[in-house]
Amino acid sequence: MLKKVFLGVALLSLPSAAEAAWPEKPVTITVGFAAGGTTDVVARAVADVVSKRLRQPVIIENKPGAGGAVAVLMLKGMSADGYNLVATTSTTITLDPQMTQLAFGLSDFTYIAATGEFPEAFIAKPESGWKTLTDAFNAIKTSTGKSTYSSSTSLDRMVTTVLGKQAGISLAPVPTRSGAEVVTQVLGGHTQLGYSSGAYYPQAKEGKLAVLAVLGENRLKGLPETPTLKELGYGLSSVNLILFVAPKNLPADIAKTLFDAFAAANADPAIISLMENRSLSPFTETGAALEKSIASQSETFKRLIEASK
């Protein structure tokens, strides 16, 4: 009888089959931008590592549109079971709902991981002769005072509005679906200027694109000659992260499994190498720390929007 009692206690202490089984099927990551852009390339690389950790396939799908908002809005209506995630930019959630009417906010998601900070920059063809963004603005001002530029997010539209006011010129956005498409538009001569989140980097290293200014607090390691906006005297900087999110109310055990899997991916040599090759700044967070960073970024953009009015 004593052995049976001990056996019963032992069985009760074991995790249930349901707890041990997750994930029981493939996980889908929907990328909110077109294939080939920085978010897509990083998401696919991270998915390979996460798949090995979860021992399940991780499928990548692309649902571009509205600066990533299409995929995020779609995710909001899905079950919080961990099988559906979205890869987007942090500004899609921290900035876009403040700029236009969108049916989601900070509290609608569980923040899984951030993998790198975008090396956002203004780009042009080398044939323009422009070395910095100030050169471009001066040329525009002495011409018609107006220009178009290739755009992919609401962040760049806010930034260029502020910069245009400071420079005394008008910059009209030509919408695209991704940073990669921005590069295509600039290389094809469809616009003189472009604002790209990082897809420009390979062409810049090959000398096919001129990088006129970067938006972060510091110069990029891979492009040390390119000044920041602050160095050019514009008093402005911006941070945008590659972000992985799930619907809100994700069960704690599933969230923990995903946090651990993405943390392992962030530390994987292949991901670190990819970030260096794309000149992504090394920003990696998961869970509660990331949620705090997202809230802080939202407040920063709120102040910037007020200052731009």
Side-chain angles (χ1 to χ4, degrees), residues 64-112:
V70 170
V72 170
L73 186 59
M74 179 183 69
L75 180 72
K76 179 186 172 183
M78 292 185 173
S79 299
D81 55 13
Y83 290 112
N84 287 286
L85 310 176
V86 158
T88 188
T89 62
S90 59
T91 55
T92 301
I93 294 174
T94 59
L95 174 63
D96 291 6
Q98 300 189 61
M99 298 286 288
T100 186
Q101 290 186 339
L102 293 171
F104 60 80
L106 297 187
S107 62
D108 288 318
F109 308 101
T110 299
Y111 298 94
I112 303 299

Side-chain angles (χ1 to χ4, degrees), residues 224-246:
E225 300 303 316
T226 303
T228 66
L229 285 179
K230 283 190 173 181
E231 287 176 322
L232 291 174
Y234 296 107
L236 177 65
S237 66
S238 173
V239 173
N240 197 6
L241 309 173
I242 296 175
L243 189 65
F244 295 88
V245 296

Side-chain angles (χ1 to χ4, degrees), residues 13-223:
S13 67
L14 291 174
S16 70
E19 289 175 334
W22 196 93
E24 299 178 285
K25 60 182 182 180
V27 173
T28 297
I29 299 178
T30 301
V31 180
F33 299 89
T38 300
T39 304
D40 177 73
V41 171
V42 172
R44 290 176 187 275
V46 168
D48 287 343
V49 181
V50 170
S51 176
K52 294 172 184 176
R53 295 282 300 188
L54 298 181
R55 298 182 180 181
Q56 284 284 355
V58 177
I59 300 166
I60 296 290
E61 295 181 350
N62 295 87
K63 294 286 185 183
V70 170
V72 170
L73 186 59
M74 179 183 69
L75 180 72
K76 179 186 172 183
M78 292 185 173
S79 299
D81 55 13
Y83 290 112
N84 287 286
L85 310 176
V86 158
T88 188
T89 62
S90 59
T91 55
T92 301
I93 294 174
T94 59
L95 174 63
D96 291 6
Q98 300 189 61
M99 298 286 288
T100 186
Q101 290 186 339
L102 293 171
F104 60 80
L106 297 187
S107 62
D108 288 318
F109 308 101
T110 299
Y111 298 94
I112 303 299
T115 303
E117 177 187 329
F118 284 98
E120 298 194 321
F122 283 94
I123 59 173
K125 293 179 73 173
E127 291 82 354
S128 68
W130 301 332
K131 301 300 182 183
T132 72
L133 191 63
T134 299
D135 294 337
F137 287 175
N138 287 339
I140 294 168
K141 192 169 185 178
T142 57
S143 179
T144 62
K146 299 179 181 180
S147 179
T148 59
Y149 78 97
S150 294
S151 161
S152 63
T153 67
S154 60
L155 171 62
D156 69 61
R157 291 187 281 277
M158 179 183 68
V159 168
T160 51
T161 297
V162 175
L163 293 176
K165 288 180 179 179
Q166 292 183 17
I169 61 175
S170 175
L171 296 168
V174 176
T176 69
R177 296 181 300 169
S178 68
E181 191 173 329
V182 168
V183 170
T184 300
Q185 292 294 309
V186 173
L187 287 175
H190 302 289
T191 60
Q192 290 182 295
L193 279 173
Y195 183 118
S196 180
S197 57
Y200 65 85
Y201 189 72
Q203 291 89 345
K205 294 297 289 183
E206 294 173 4
K208 296 178 180 178
L209 283 172
V211 185
L212 307 179
V214 294
L215 274 81
E217 290 289 337
N218 303 300
R219 294 191 179 196
L220 299 179
K221 181 179 179 181
L223 297 169

